Amino acid sequence: AELNMKAGKKSLDGCDHKTAYSYLEAALSLLPQQHWENHYDLSLRLNFLMAGAAKSCCQYDEAEQLLRGISGRTRCFEDKLPSYFLLSQIFQAQGKVVDAYNTCSFVLLQLGETIPDSVTPEAAKTMVEDTLKMYEEVYDGDWLERKMEDETLRTVVKFYGAIIFLAFLSRSRYTAICFICKAVQLSLQNGACVYTPLSLLQLMGFAMEDNHAANLYHIAKNALSLLERFDVGGDQISGVFMNFYGRIAWHYEPFQVCGDNLRRGFESGLSSGSNLGFHCAFHVIKTAIISGEKLDSLLKEIDYYLHLLKTYKSELMKNALLISRETVSALIDKGEATSIDAKVFNNSSQEPVFFHQAYRAFWSGYTVRCHHYFEKCSQLSGQYVQFNPFVLKFYHGLNSLDVLKKKKSHTTRYKEVVRDAISAMKDAAANSEW
């Protein structure tokens, strides 16, 4: 059993998940009766590795069954923690956001953390300001030399990193910000750990939605450099690249550079079996649409990601990719020959739908419809910010200018939009060197 387990672990490390599954399945079959009582450590490790291999092979039901079996056999709560984390990832991959959120929040409560029922915008803003102030006070050479030694604290930061996206989808943007600030503050108070770079980048991603100050970009760059201090796996690289190049860097760096690195993040996530790889895929397509990549090539790339989602039995980011595909198909031939029979499901986050409707209308010459949907995006500001506000204002401004030039309307609102867009472009130009 131990030899097969070692072979399975080696295959997992090499991202050969099917071979790993075979070895680990053989190892489990060789365990003696009452192995949990007589070979506890071996049984715990082997069952967890098997669950991981099953998850990577899209055997989600089997993986969940194995993890629940581990939870029922473990001798202490600490031994359950890896299983809970993997279980939350399985739920997320299947689109069971509430189940994933509840799993992470349960663990955090058991570890002594508090989970707020709701967070106000004012409270979230105060937490961000306090956390950034703490960063300025703490970040120096001495802090960089400190490492978070407490394993429980490292686990807390890890679960906060997992729950943030889930909170954004199932609770609110402000609840997600609350969790981010807690994770970063723990690192600033106790030293950095392998999960600190991701936490810092998650914080900067949200902070830059309201404040595009250059110092936030420098903090993000510092977080990226922290990776060199730790042995970071593909799942961490995927999350770090998604946050840095998908939410931060494109304020300052060329879209093409961001897109290339997001593809690297996708590949790292895919090879490690991380859900975050498909988050990178979404940002790849979003960046490619805005930066003007060839539509035919873009359509093929979206179909490739959708094929992988089907292969991996994952619902993660499927809706967002389908919305993007509808846009690309509409721009190629109005969907006459390039559309597919796949339904886009409505959900609580309407910003992608409104943006894509506005974007399609802009390039199709429907100025009134374009203005209508961009106005809806503006009304959602502060709730759902999946698209760069500069991009929204840029196209909204161009559309409004076109309306005014054609003398279709001289309403004050169109003129306000143009002035706001010009101001935003000046800010964007000040941030970027290229």
Side-chain angles (χ1 to χ4, degrees), residues 150-205:
D150 190 315
E151 186 174 351
T152 299
L153 288 179
R154 291 198 298 269
T155 301
V156 169
V157 175
K158 179 181 181 179
F159 272 90
Y160 270 136
I163 202 174
I164 287 163
F165 178 70
L166 304 170
F168 180 78
L169 291 180
S170 65
R171 293 298 186 269
S172 73
R173 173 177 184 257
Y174 306 109
T175 302
I177 290 173
C178 171
F179 292 145
I180 295 170
C181 290
K182 287 187 174 187
V184 172
Q185 288 176 12
L186 282 172
S187 289
L188 294 174
Q189 292 165 349
N190 300 279
C193 68
V194 67
Y195 309 111
T196 300
L198 178 59
S199 297
L200 281 168
L201 289 169
Q202 288 171 325
L203 175 62
M204 294 307 105

Side-chain angles (χ1 to χ4, degrees), residues 37-49:
E37 291 78 9
N38 300 323
H39 304 279
Y40 176 79
D41 291 338
L42 174 63
S43 300
L44 179 63
R45 182 169 174 75
L46 180 52
N47 276 271
F48 180 74
L49 288 172

